Amino acid sequence: MATATSDLDDRIADPAPASALGRMRRMAGPVDTTVQDNLLLRATRYVAMVPLVYRIVAVIGALAAFAAEGGGGAPVVIVVAVLCVALNVAGLRWLFRTAPFHNGNAARLLALDVVFTLVVYLVVAAAVPASSFDTAMQVPGKELLGAIALLTLALGIQYGAGLLVLSIPLRMVAWWLNTGVFNVKQGFTDLGTMLGVVLTATGALVLLGLGTRLALAYGIRNGRLAERAWQHRALHDSVLQTLELMALPRPGDPARQLGELRGIARAQAMEVRQMIEKAQRESAEEESRPLGEKLSALAAEMAREGLRAQLVMAELDEETLSEVRQLAIRDAAREAMRNTLKHAGTDQVVMRVDEQDGGISVVIRDHGTGFDEAHRPAGFGISESITARLAEAGGRALVESSPGSGTRVTLWMPR
């Protein structure tokens, strides 16, 4: 009773913190900064593609505007634009790579990017005539705007703001190289645009962190519920089923019955031991079996428990059915046949496997006592161990029965 109350408290009576952010922090837990390439880090890596793509497009646009005006110093500006585009394309390829993330490599690449941006900014300023200064400087200027956004997204607002502050004397020096006059006012040109870039990138980073943490929170919560459902099914399909089976009256020799009960208890003890040791999946040899062999092994297993299962198999292309879906079909079929053994009043069942509607259909049919579906009491077996299990793997289950006409359970799984 205490366990059930605890589970219920975890699911519906979790006290909510005062704010949404606090609620997300509580569900997701602290971020382990020592773990490389975690979800938040990967999301940050991919959002860093935005300033890289912006720089490619913006630099090409600025070069086109410069060429349209026919300004002087075109060769230098063209070379700088080509180098900028090439560097950003290389950065995109680096972000798309599958290799693990290393902070040292990222720091070196970001430092190289900043140095390159500052150098080409001064090179263009020194190479173009004063009449073309404003349009020519748009090419390295777009690269500088992207660098500010990139540092903000990759390292934080303090680094982006630091480059923004550095851009003030940078523009002063650029104007001095171009005109020979040191003008303090030139250092604050486009300062508002750069400040907007820093604030926008910071907002994007905050939203990214909150969104990722929210996704983690829901993922962890749903994962816990799914694990709890699996544990309930495992207990229901193993310990509870075995205890109920052992309690059923059996005709015949008492000594033989005792031997059968000992065999069932021994098999169940082994299954529980494996579950405690968290061996949730079958052995590698069992998992490599196709569906037909899995169902044949299931029929043999049920025969040892006292149910004669006749397996009728059509020729199937089983390679397209994933292992998870095969195991879902097998486990749901086991639950259906154990229900037959417990409730149908018969020791015979037919299991027919065929292709249907673009998937694989497994029909378990018995001619036992059946039941009235309208008055069937709510139970864990059909709703969770059969219907929910198939639904979680993408399939569906249908249970049909009527008093005196037996029961038909249809399991269907798409390819």
Side-chain angles (χ1 to χ4, degrees), residues 328-409:
I329 289 178
R330 184 201 62 184
D331 294 342
R334 177 189 286 116
E335 173 64 16
M337 287 192 286
R338 280 180 170 169
N339 284 341
T340 296
L341 188 60
K342 289 193 302 180
H343 306 300
T346 179
D347 62 353
Q348 298 185 29
V349 69
V350 176
M351 180 165 51
R352 187 179 300 274
V353 186
D354 203 352
E355 294 188 11
Q356 185 181 56
D357 299 332
I360 291 182
S361 171
V362 178
V363 179
I364 299 97
R365 181 77 167 93
D366 70 65
H367 295 281
T369 57
F371 57 88
D372 187 352
E373 296 184 57
H375 298 89
R376 177 176 64 87
F380 188 91
I382 292 178
S383 62
E384 289 293 328
S385 292
I386 297 180
T387 305
R389 175 177 276 134
L390 265 291
E392 287 177 0
R396 60 176 181 263
L398 176 64
V399 180
E400 303 169 283
S401 185
S402 60
S405 299
T407 302
R408 175 190 178 97
V409 178

Side-chain angles (χ1 to χ4, degrees), residues 123-373:
V123 167
V124 172
V128 300
S131 59
S132 304
F133 180 82
D134 289 335
T135 54
M137 293 305 294
Q138 289 298 314
V139 174
K142 300 300 183 184
E143 188 77 5
L144 180 59
L145 284 175
I148 293 174
L150 184 61
L151 286 183
T152 303
L153 290 172
L155 300 178
I157 185 173
Q158 65 273 25
Y159 291 91
L163 185 56
L164 183 149
V165 173
L166 182 61
S167 70
I168 296 176
L170 178 68
R171 287 195 62 86
M172 297 179 187
V173 173
W175 182 259
W176 174 75
L177 288 174
N178 186 262
T179 64
V181 178
F182 194 83
N183 190 341
V184 176
K185 183 179 178 180
Q186 285 295 325
F188 294 91
T189 304
D190 294 334
L191 183 62
T193 302
M194 294 183 180
L195 183 60
V197 169
V198 172
L199 295 177
T200 301
T202 302
L205 194 60
V206 171
L207 291 176
L208 171 69
L210 291 177
T212 304
R213 185 169 286 274
L214 181 61
L216 283 170
Y218 279 103
I220 292 171
R221 173 63 59 84
N222 291 336
R224 287 171 178 168
L225 293 178
E227 182 180 6
R228 187 175 300 155
W230 178 87
Q231 292 171 349
H232 290 172
R233 285 180 194 148
L235 290 174
H236 174 273
D237 296 352
S238 58
V239 177
L240 182 59
Q241 290 279 17
T242 301
L243 291 175
E244 291 179 344
L245 181 63
M246 294 172 68
L248 291 175
R250 289 171 172 257
D253 181 34
R256 179 184 175 186
Q257 294 177 21
L258 180 59
E260 291 177 352
L261 291 177
R262 286 176 175 173
I264 295 173
R266 188 181 303 110
Q268 186 59 69
M270 294 177 61
E271 185 175 346
V272 172
R273 183 181 298 276
Q274 292 175 354
M275 184 174 63
I276 293 175
E277 295 173 351
K278 298 188 182 301
Q280 299 180 1
R281 287 196 170 191
E282 304 290 332
S283 64
E285 179 181 355
E286 169 64 18
E287 289 189 352
S288 64
R289 294 181 181 179
L291 179 61
E293 293 187 18
K294 286 183 174 68
L295 295 180
S296 296
L298 175 60
E301 174 188 335
M302 299 311 300
R304 290 192 296 270
E305 296 185 11
L307 180 67
R308 290 182 291 174
Q310 179 184 356
L311 178 61
V312 181
M313 285 279 301
E315 292 187 5
L316 303 175
D317 179 14
E318 303 174 21
E319 298 299 326
T320 57
L321 198 62
S322 68
E323 180 69 19
V324 172
R325 290 180 168 178
Q326 290 186 35
L327 293 177
I329 289 178
R330 184 201 62 184
D331 294 342
R334 177 189 286 116
E335 173 64 16
M337 287 192 286
R338 280 180 170 169
N339 284 341
T340 296
L341 188 60
K342 289 193 302 180
H343 306 300
T346 179
D347 62 353
Q348 298 185 29
V349 69
V350 176
M351 180 165 51
R352 187 179 300 274
V353 186
D354 203 352
E355 294 188 11
Q356 185 181 56
D357 299 332
I360 291 182
S361 171
V362 178
V363 179
I364 299 97
R365 181 77 167 93
D366 70 65
H367 295 281
T369 57
F371 57 88
D372 187 352
E373 296 184 57

